[in-house]
Amino acid sequence: MQPYTYFISDLHLSAQRPDITQCLATFLAGQAKGADALYVLGDLFEYWIGDDDRNEFNEHVASLFKQLADSGIPIFFIHGNRDFLIREKFANRAGMTILPPQHVIDLYGTPTLLMHGDELCTLDLAYQKFRKKARGWWWPRMVLSLPLWVRRKIAEKGRKTSQKNQQKLSMEIMDVTSSEVVNYMQKFNVQQLIHGHTHRPAIHQLVANDKPALRIVLGDWYDQGSMLKITSKSIDLLSQNLEK
């Protein structure tokens, strides 16, 4: 069997969706066990209010990943727009290594840029303004200094506001800006990009650095498990049924 690597994102795990958590558990205990590595490209949780929120659900998710890591499979994580407050304490409990927001790997001989993808949606001006603040140094520090119950209320309110705002935004605004995709691929000098965030799994052909390029978009887990499996010879967007 050829060596392979898995990529997932946008699981939006929560205690209210045990079917998604079970689907993840099945994947981690099955297909993922033979991988060279697993990359989680953000929005693992519906929201994250701090590593000190050590409730039963969060600890269960951490244990699922830790079992895979302990079996010898490296796990890497890039923050999404829902879980950018994840820090080293949770990553250590889950056996994950946190990567920078944009990170290039050698994927079977092909330099590949990994990111969550929210930075590519530049037409959503209100969100980009919030992203700049949320990824800065002072805002996360201020939020994490608040009591857990206050952070939870802020997160729940923010989630509802986000859902309302998305209903008003056009599909164009919520999708990536093509020129920004090219800009990032030129900045990092790559011909292959993998990201999530937009929930529109697909493999797009484009031109970057005056050469053919690929942009691979990961799917969300609302209706099915969505995985990307890459070998030296193939790129496959796969799905797994949610378990009732």
Side-chain angles (χ1 to χ4, degrees):
M1 180 182 293
Q2 286 187 330
Y4 59 92
T5 298
Y6 270 114
F7 302 83
I8 59 176
S9 73
D10 300 284
L11 287 80
H12 294 264
L13 296 174
S14 71
Q16 289 70 44
R17 288 294 305 270
D19 53 338
I20 299 178
T21 306
Q22 183 56 51
C23 186
L24 171 66
T26 301
F27 166 68
L28 294 178
Q31 305 101 298
K33 282 225 163 172
D36 286 338
L38 170 64
Y39 290 85
V40 184
L41 303 188
D43 283 5
L44 175 60
F45 291 92
E46 179 68 3
Y47 62 79
W48 188 260
I49 60 175
D51 290 5
D52 55 336
D53 185 21
R54 298 192 63 168
N55 59 59
E56 182 179 355
F57 175 75
N58 291 344
E59 294 301 286
H60 174 59
V61 172
S63 70
L64 293 176
F65 282 100
K66 190 65 165 59
Q67 289 173 32
L68 180 65
D70 287 346
S71 74
I73 310 301
I75 305 174
F76 302 95
F77 174 79
I78 289 181
H79 292 105
N81 54 294
R82 301 294 187 98
D83 50 20
F84 56 86
L85 291 177
I86 285 179
R87 296 293 185 263
E88 292 295 340
K89 288 183 178 180
F90 174 79
N92 290 337
R93 296 199 296 271
M96 296 177 173
T97 299
I98 298 178
L99 299 176
Q102 299 91 34
H103 185 71
V104 176
I105 63 171
D106 183 341
L107 190 57
Y108 306 115
T110 300
T112 301
L113 174 60
L114 309 179
M115 59 172 62
H116 177 59
D118 54 334
E119 60 267 64
L120 300 172
C121 303
T122 57
L123 294 181
D124 190 348
L125 300 179
Y127 170 71
Q128 291 301 328
K129 184 178 179 179
F130 169 76
R131 185 182 190 278
K132 184 177 181 180
K133 175 180 71 173
R135 302 300 180 93
W137 67 270
W138 66 271
W139 194 87
R141 185 176 298 181
M142 179 194 71
V143 171
L144 290 173
S145 70
L146 298 172
L148 268 174
W149 69 269
V150 175
R151 280 180 261 160
R152 186 169 289 107
K153 280 198 169 186
I154 293 173
E156 290 172 352
K157 181 179 179 181
R159 180 178 58 172
K160 292 177 181 177
T161 300
S162 175
Q163 290 172 343
K164 289 181 181 178
N165 290 341
Q166 287 179 4
Q167 292 173 358
K168 299 176 184 177
L169 295 175
S170 69
M171 297 295 283
E172 180 183 12
I173 289 177
M174 290 192 294
D175 204 355
V176 301
T177 306
S178 297
S179 59
E180 196 69 6
V181 171
V182 173
N183 288 342
Y184 269 100
M185 297 184 80
Q186 291 177 340
K187 177 182 178 180
F188 288 92
N189 192 29
V190 297
Q191 302 308 117
Q192 188 162 277
L193 164 65
I194 300 174
H195 71 84
H197 183 64
T198 61
H199 300 188
R200 300 171 189 172
I203 301 174
H204 301 274
Q205 296 184 355
L206 65 147
V207 175
N209 302 301
D210 297 319
K211 293 180 287 186
L214 289 180
R215 176 171 70 94
I216 308 165
V217 188
L218 307 179
D220 63 71
W221 286 53
Y222 287 133
D223 300 313
Q224 61 185 8
S226 298
M227 310 91 177
L228 170 66
K229 182 180 180 181
I230 292 186
T231 72
S232 61
K233 296 183 179 180
S234 63
I235 300 174
D236 295 301
L237 286 164
L238 307 174
S239 63
Q240 181 173 299
N241 292 334
L242 298 181
E243 301 181 23
K244 303 301 182 181

